[in-house]
């Protein structure tokens, strides 16, 4: 019986800093990695586009600033997703400043709507979840435990 071939050693990504441009007009300036293509899996069917499978991918990774039209993100990235502390400004005028996990609001953060409403507190998977305070557009503050984007049993603090 022929000896089995050893799997090729994984190639470490190249890390760098710079600016690059997206075809749609967006720009990114900051840290990135050049992820080498993954080795083929033994016994797996060949990729549909072998030329694309052999190309390395440039991924935002580390601290950087992304701008596309009227919205922008400045903060930490991991494997091309917003991850860690960062600030996102939407074209509508809304904004989120806080912690991200795999491209979603997660942890502590503050979301502000253009009409004056805001929420500051805990987030899970893009939803208000945990202890927080919501201020409505009339200035009333609602505090308490939020669950899956809603706040049953909140207390209103009228001032």
């Amino acid at each position: 019986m022929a000896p089995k071939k050893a799997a090729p050693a994984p190639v470490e990504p190249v890390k760098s800093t710079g600016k690059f441009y997206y075809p749609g007009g967006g720009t990114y300036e900051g840290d990135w990695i050049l992820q080498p293509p993954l080795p083929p899996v033994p016994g797996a069917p060949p990729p549909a586009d072998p030329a694309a499978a052999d190309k390395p991918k440039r991924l935002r990774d580390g601290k950087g600033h992304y701008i596309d039209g009227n919205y922008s993100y400045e903060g930490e990235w991991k494997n091309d997703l917003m991850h860690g502390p960062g600030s996102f400004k939407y074209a509508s005028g809304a904004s989120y400043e806080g912690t991200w996990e795999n491209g979603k609001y997660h942890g502590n953060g503050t979301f502000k709507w253009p009409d004056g409403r805001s929420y500051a507190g805990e987030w899970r998977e893009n939803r208000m979840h945990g202890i927080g305070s919501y201020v409505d557009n009339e200035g009333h503050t609602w505090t308490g435990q939020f669950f899956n984007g809603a706040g049953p049993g909140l207390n209103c603090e009228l001032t």
Side-chain angles (χ1 to χ4, degrees):
M1 176 154 75
K4 290 186 177 184
K5 291 183 182 180
V11 179
E12 289 296 315
V14 174
K15 297 180 181 188
S16 191
T17 300
K19 185 172 187 175
F20 54 94
Y21 302 86
Y22 291 90
T27 61
Y28 174 77
E29 188 166 7
D31 301 331
W32 52 269
I33 58 174
L34 192 62
Q35 184 70 49
L38 296 173
V41 177
D49 184 2
D54 291 340
K55 292 182 181 178
K57 293 181 184 175
R58 187 176 311 199
L59 306 173
R60 297 166 287 196
D61 199 272
K63 190 167 179 63
H65 189 191
Y66 175 71
I67 300 172
D68 192 354
N70 291 329
Y71 64 90
S72 66
Y73 172 78
E74 185 162 9
E76 295 290 326
W77 297 84
K78 184 177 178 183
N79 290 323
D80 220 33
L81 294 172
M82 296 171 278
H83 192 90
S87 177
F88 196 103
K89 293 184 171 92
Y90 293 88
S92 67
S95 65
Y96 173 79
E97 186 166 348
T99 308
W100 298 76
E101 187 173 288
N102 296 320
K104 295 180 179 179
Y105 312 151
H106 198 90
N108 287 308
T110 300
F111 189 96
K112 295 180 181 178
W113 286 266
D115 65 2
R117 293 176 294 147
S118 66
Y119 170 80
E122 298 177 67
W123 294 83
R124 184 188 300 168
E125 301 258 331
N126 277 350
R127 294 179 181 256
M128 299 176 283
H129 192 91
I131 301 299
S133 292
Y134 173 82
V135 179
D136 64 25
N137 57 1
E138 294 178 7
H140 301 127
T141 301
W142 301 82
T143 59
Q145 180 78 31
F146 286 77
F147 179 75
N148 206 20
L154 294 178
N155 295 318
C156 181
E157 300 171 9
L158 298 175
T159 55

